[in-house]
Amino acid sequence: MNLGADLFAGTAWTFASPHFDGQLDYLFIDEAGQVATANVVAMATATKNLILVGDQMQLGQPIQGTHPGEAGLSVLEFLLGDHSTIPAERGIFLGQTRRMRPSICQFISDAFYDGRLTAHESTAERGLNLQGVDLPNEGIVMIPAAHEGCSQKSVEEGEIIKAKYNDLLGQEFTDRDGTSRLITEDDILVVTPYNVQVNYLRSILPDNAKVGTVDKFQGQEAPIVLISMVTSSAEDLPRNIEFLYSKNRLNVAVSRAQCLAVVVANPKLLEIPCGTVEQMKLVNTFCWLDEYAESGAKN
């Protein structure tokens, strides 16, 4: 191994190797919100200084086991605790997005980033020009879907998603460089929490439709995002409240949208009974989303 090089790149296993003990001046860990604290401790033996780059309000790395206490946290979750953003005395917060228009960024900023995130002026240069569609050109929209007994699959929500999807195809989108084009399958992400609903949506949407769980689309973006929440009520939750109402999952889903995010959900999801303060906070964020969408529709 040539340790005389100026720059190395590798996985956690690379830098945890005894060959790297004390060899580096700086180690940059990208996507630190998905790196387990234990892995960072192992890698830290290779360097004098650690620089963590990432967002703890995104989805963490999937884990198979159960870890006691804080052992299962990512390194950013461990270091920041209850902070949604890094305090100024502990690091640098990159407070500007070049993805979301201000009408989407405002909710994401207030709900997940202590109001510190702003939209770069160039985001307002992207835009939709929808004609004959019961949707706005930008912002967050909540569409109520009435259904009962749905846990991980909702035909009713699928039909709504399909109708909106077909209405949006062929509409006009203008990018930041001023060029306009027709909306295609590449411009719409269809997101849902459950693989059962993913498979159903794929069966009723065009073959080239981009459909997946929130986890699949982390890091991606599109002019339009359609979100199906699927579950009918508290009695139908296939998993716990913490999964469906996860702030990180909601943040990732809505913030994929450059111009328009459409959330299809049963209104009963706003009435979920909570057993802990933390569950109340999670459900409150979803209620906040609904209120924000309603206020935007009135403006």
Side-chain angles (χ1 to χ4, degrees):
M1 180 180 295
N2 178 16
L3 295 182
D6 293 325
L7 178 65
F8 293 91
T11 64
W13 313 112
T14 300
F15 296 109
S17 167
H19 295 289
F20 272 96
D21 280 354
Q23 296 295 320
L24 306 177
D25 292 317
Y26 290 90
L27 178 60
F28 289 79
I29 300 180
D30 191 23
E31 293 291 352
Q34 292 196 328
V35 181
T37 302
N39 287 354
V40 174
V41 171
M43 288 186 280
T45 60
T47 185
K48 300 179 181 69
N49 301 281
L50 272 174
I51 298 179
L52 307 175
V53 183
D55 180 0
Q56 84 283 4
M57 296 307 295
Q58 301 278 303
L59 289 172
Q61 186 177 32
I63 55 176
Q64 297 294 324
T66 300
H67 303 278
E70 298 178 327
L73 300 179
S74 74
V75 65
L76 291 184
E77 291 174 317
F78 177 76
L79 291 174
L80 296 182
D82 293 333
H83 293 286
S84 296
T85 56
I86 186 80
E89 67 274 11
R90 300 188 63 186
I92 299 171
F93 176 70
L94 302 179
Q96 201 168 66
T97 175
R98 295 174 183 263
R99 175 192 302 153
M100 298 173 283
R101 286 184 64 95
S103 54
I104 299 177
C105 179
Q106 187 64 60
F107 170 76
I108 295 296
S109 177
D110 292 344
F112 307 112
Y113 296 103
D114 297 327
R116 297 175 65 187
L117 186 67
T118 60
H120 189 270
E121 59 184 13
S122 64
T123 61
E125 296 171 4
R126 286 195 187 101
L128 303 175
N129 182 21
L130 305 181
Q131 302 292 328
V133 180
D134 188 22
L135 289 171
N137 287 325
E138 63 172 284
I140 300 173
V141 175
M142 291 279 283
I143 298 179
H147 47 74
E148 294 183 1
C150 296
S151 179
Q152 299 183 61
K153 176 184 175 182
S154 170
V155 172
E156 292 85 353
E157 290 192 18
E159 290 302 316
I160 293 173
I161 293 287
K162 178 181 178 180
K164 297 303 180 185
Y165 189 97
N166 290 332
D167 286 344
L168 289 165
L169 288 178
Q171 298 284 336
E172 186 178 68
F173 167 67
T174 301
D175 214 337
R176 290 188 299 183
D177 60 4
T179 60
S180 296
R181 56 181 171 77
L182 298 182
I183 292 173
T184 70
E185 290 90 345
D186 289 335
D187 299 312
I188 308 173
L189 300 182
V190 182
V191 186
T192 188
Y194 310 115
N195 282 312
V196 176
Q197 185 75 349
V198 168
N199 294 333
Y200 169 61
L201 290 170
R202 283 176 177 165
S203 73
I204 64 173
L205 293 175
D207 292 340
N208 294 329
K210 291 186 173 183
V211 186
T213 61
V214 184
D215 307 67
K216 175 182 177 180
F217 288 128
Q218 180 159 279
Q220 299 188 40
E221 61 185 283
I224 303 163
V225 173
L226 305 179
I227 303 168
S228 171
M229 295 296 292
V230 184
T231 305
S232 296
S233 65
E235 292 74 19
D236 303 300
L237 283 171
R239 299 173 66 174
N240 52 34
I241 287 177
E242 286 77 7
F243 177 82
L244 184 61
Y245 291 86
S246 162
K247 292 183 69 172
N248 296 53
R249 186 163 277 104
L250 185 62
N251 175 29
V252 172
V254 175
S255 67
R256 298 309 91 201
Q258 297 168 344
C259 300
L260 178 64
V262 179
V263 183
V264 182
N266 193 314
K268 291 181 180 178
L269 292 183
L270 302 170
E271 305 168 359
I272 297 287
C274 301
T276 67
V277 173
E278 288 305 314
Q279 289 180 351
M280 290 177 65
K281 290 179 180 179
L282 295 177
V283 176
N284 179 65
T285 302
F286 190 73
C287 294
W288 187 355
L289 175 70
D290 179 67
E291 182 179 329
Y292 183 88
E294 185 176 347
S295 65
K298 293 177 179 178
N299 294 335

